[in-house]
Amino acid sequence: MTITTGAPPPTHHTPVALARGFLTGGVVGTSLAALVVGGIIENAPLFATGLVLPAVYGLLFFLAGTPRRAREAAVVPRTALAVIESLKAVGGESSDIPVRFELTVAPDDRPAYRVEITQDINLVDLPDYRPRGVLVVQYPPDRPWRVRIVKRPTPEWEDRAASARLDSVLGTARVAAPPEGCAFGFVVLLGLLLGAAAVVLLFHADLFDRDDTAKSPSAARPSVDSTSSTTVVSSASGTVALGLGQSFLDKGELDRALGSLTKGGDTRQAVTVVVQERLLSVVFSPTGTQPPGLDPRALPYDRFPALVEEATTTLGVRSPRTWQITADRLTGSLIIRVVVTGPEGTASLEANGQGKVVRLAPAR
């Protein structure tokens, strides 16, 4: 039999599809921006939102599509004959391999058309499919491109396929799923950009204040003041290095150095404060955490010279080479530890928060 050809009716995007694309792009943009911004500003709820939002949207999208899927499942598929124009295995390592078919479908109630499908075929059954072979297929009447090969047709259709002779149709009669097109891609991109922009605008104060702090002149490059000291401050630590001929045991030197690290009334707690001959280092407590900290401004700096003097003269290190003072509260109470090294070994002493010596460890 000869089948007349005809092109399928054109399909268009509906406003619902465009709105769905815009919403999907907005969710993707919002989620990605929430993850990035939340990580940068250390905002745990925002970061969690970036993880949860796609899952919630996916669930709602699935539930919203349930009625549509139910309607589609209720539609009785049409059965028709089709002739294989070409076929090609496109991969697979199991017993069922995907095969791409080029078919001419010949419905009883509409013009014949061409369609390209991919369907898994068992290796044992693959020799039964050959060019110009006639098959029995089914497809939804409203989506003729969703053609599926019926592997076990009814006896009636099996007899029709065995006796039918179908002519090919031109490639211009091809039917395919509606393309997304430029409009759909544009609304998805627009939603993505607007979602990301909304997150950035909502948290721009935290984001850019943090960025300014990280890139401020004092953090980006050393500053040299009139006392020939070099100060470097970041969100996590601060250091002050003195020039040659200076010492942090000089009167008022520690107070000036600490002031340069706490400009603007910085009241952050410190994890440790380390003082050496010409180097002061402060490690600040991380934002949002509660480790045992100390106020670096409340240390008894006026007692530091006396503690170093006692450690270098009474603990058996006659020729001290280096000394270091470390203050922390890792054990709960404030401990000021002075360590001295020399040819005789290492000696140390510990003092409390008032600078009173509570423990000695002579050189050994």
Side-chain angles (χ1 to χ4, degrees), residues 39-291:
I40 292 175
I41 66 176
E42 300 177 359
N43 187 320
L46 180 61
F47 189 85
T49 299
L51 295 175
V52 174
L53 183 60
V56 174
Y57 176 74
L59 177 60
L60 295 177
F61 187 85
F62 175 81
L63 295 177
T66 300
R68 174 183 56 81
R69 290 190 297 273
R71 289 194 304 270
E72 292 177 354
V75 174
V76 178
R78 301 285 176 85
T79 304
L81 297 179
V83 60
I84 301 175
E85 301 293 348
S86 64
L87 71 161
K88 179 181 179 182
V90 293
E93 298 179 356
S94 62
S95 59
D96 292 335
I97 62 173
V99 179
R100 183 179 296 123
F101 290 91
E102 179 84 14
L103 302 177
T104 292
V105 181
D108 293 335
D109 57 350
R110 57 169 292 168
Y113 62 90
R114 278 209 185 197
V115 67
E116 185 176 282
I117 67 169
T118 299
Q119 186 166 331
D120 290 344
I121 303 296
N122 193 281
L123 284 172
V124 176
D125 300 329
L126 191 58
D128 297 336
Y129 299 91
R130 59 192 183 280
R132 302 308 306 163
V134 178
L135 307 170
V136 179
V137 298
Q138 288 185 335
Y139 62 89
D142 56 339
R143 298 183 303 281
W145 56 87
R146 286 195 174 182
V147 174
R148 305 303 296 169
I149 298 173
V150 180
K151 297 181 180 180
R152 292 178 177 80
T154 63
E156 177 186 356
W157 279 101
E158 191 171 7
D159 292 340
R160 288 186 60 179
S163 60
R165 296 293 181 268
L166 304 182
D167 294 338
S168 301
V169 298
L170 299 176
T172 54
R174 185 182 302 275
V175 172
E180 292 186 351
C182 296
F184 186 82
F186 174 78
V187 296
V188 171
L189 178 61
L190 180 62
L192 190 149
L193 294 177
L194 290 179
V199 174
V200 173
L201 289 177
L202 285 174
F203 294 91
H204 74 282
D206 295 334
L207 184 63
F208 291 106
D209 285 350
R210 182 183 183 89
D211 187 65
D212 291 342
T213 301
K215 296 183 178 180
S216 62
S218 61
R221 57 182 182 273
S223 60
V224 180
D225 57 25
S226 59
T227 61
S228 301
S229 65
T230 302
T231 303
V232 179
V233 182
S234 71
S235 60
S237 64
T239 61
V240 178
L242 298 179
L244 293 175
Q246 296 176 279
S247 172
F248 277 116
L249 298 182
D250 296 340
K251 185 176 181 179
E253 200 64 63
L254 276 172
D255 291 333
R256 283 192 295 269
L258 187 64
S260 66
L261 296 180
T262 58
K263 288 181 178 178
D266 193 341
T267 59
R268 286 181 295 174
Q269 294 286 293
V271 178
T272 59
V273 176
V274 179
V275 182
Q276 298 175 351
E277 184 75 40
R278 296 198 305 272
L279 182 66
L280 167 65
S281 302
V282 179
V283 178
F284 296 112
S285 300
T287 304
T289 62
Q290 297 295 330

